[in-house]
Structure formats: C-alpha cells, structure tokens
C-alpha cells in the first residue's frame, strides 16, 4: 500500500513540475472559485509566435454547477474575473479561450473544438 502511495505522489509531483507557474496558478484559481467537476488548463503558447516556454496563450475547459442558469457571456465574465490578475499588463496572459459548461451540458457533449492557428504576431 505504502509503495503504491509513494509512486502516486512521485507521479503527481513530476506532473506538477512540468506544469508552468502561470498554468498552475490558473488551475488553482479556477478550482477555488468554481469547484469544477472537470477542469483542463491547456497552455497553447507553443502554437503562437512567442519564445519557447512562454505562458501567454491558454485554453480552459471548466465544468461547474455554478454555471447553471447563466448565459455564456456571464460565464465568461466570471472566468475572466477569477483570472483578472493573470492578464496583461499585471500578468503574462495575452489570450484565453474559455469553454464553460454545466455538468449536464458536459454529460451530453464533452467535445471541445480545436483552437484556430495563430495568424498574428511578429516573426522577429
């Protein structure tokens, strides 16, 4: 039993090490605010014209009971408010794609569209 627990802790800590600082903060904030049934935080910066290892472009998938009865725009405002300090100029986040669903919506359709390719930025 203890050996299994030790392996699980090591696995979790290696996963945490690979997650960037900003990504981890986004994960923590969304978890604290929404108590989601499902949460994914995807750093999509590598698909954009930014330096390697950047944390500037993210996609979040948040499934929470707190979205029940709220229109999409209000859900997005809630997510943006929860992450306010992560956005430029205070933080490093330049772009955020939000997929916010209720548990019922997620159960019916857990498909999330692929992000579009980067079309902007300088090539410098």
């Amino acid at each position: 039993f203890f050996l299994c627990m030790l392996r699980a802790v090591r696995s979790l800590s290696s996963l945490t090490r690979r997650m960037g600082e900003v990504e981890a903060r986004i994960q923590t904030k969304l978890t604290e605010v929404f108590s989601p049934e499902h949460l994914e935080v995807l750093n999509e910066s590598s698909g954009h014209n930014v330096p390697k290892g950047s944390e500037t472009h993210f996609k979040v998938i948040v499934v929470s009971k707190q979205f029940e009865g709220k229109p999409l725009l209000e859900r997005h405002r809630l997510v943006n408010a929860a992450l306010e300090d992560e956005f430029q100029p205070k933080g490093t986040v330049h772009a955020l794609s939000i997929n916010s669903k209720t548990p019922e919506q997620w159960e019916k359709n857990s498909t999330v569209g692929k992000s579009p390719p980067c079309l902007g930025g300088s090539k410098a």
Side-chain angles (χ1 to χ4, degrees):
F1 170 76
F2 292 108
L3 187 57
C4 288
M5 289 300 293
L6 181 59
R7 286 183 186 147
V9 168
R10 283 185 183 155
S11 176
L12 181 60
S13 62
S14 70
L15 178 65
T16 304
R17 269 186 260 128
R18 280 181 266 156
M19 184 184 294
E21 223 176 276
V22 176
E23 185 177 352
R25 282 198 310 266
I26 291 171
Q27 180 104 25
T28 299
K29 288 177 181 182
L30 294 177
T31 298
E32 289 173 354
V33 172
F34 297 105
S35 302
E37 292 188 14
H38 179 85
L39 175 63
E40 291 180 52
V41 179
L42 308 168
N43 183 352
E44 297 186 325
S45 302
S46 64
H48 296 270
N49 198 15
V50 295
K52 186 176 181 173
S54 292
E55 292 188 278
T56 56
H57 296 71
F58 288 91
K59 175 191 279 188
V60 296
I61 303 163
V62 188
V63 179
S64 175
K65 290 180 182 178
Q66 291 186 37
F67 295 140
E68 290 175 358
K70 292 180 174 59
L72 187 61
L73 184 58
E74 187 176 346
R75 295 175 189 187
H76 285 213
R77 285 180 178 149
L78 290 169
V79 172
N80 281 319
L83 301 176
E84 180 180 9
D85 290 341
E86 300 302 329
F87 292 107
Q88 294 174 351
K90 292 182 199 175
T92 63
V93 176
H94 168 73
L96 179 67
S97 171
I98 302 170
N99 291 271
S100 54
K101 296 186 176 195
T102 66
E104 183 181 345
Q105 289 171 323
W106 184 250
E107 189 176 304
K108 287 179 183 176
N109 182 6
S110 61
T111 304
V112 175
K114 198 173 182 186
S115 296
C118 178
L119 298 176
S122 71
K123 300 285 183 191

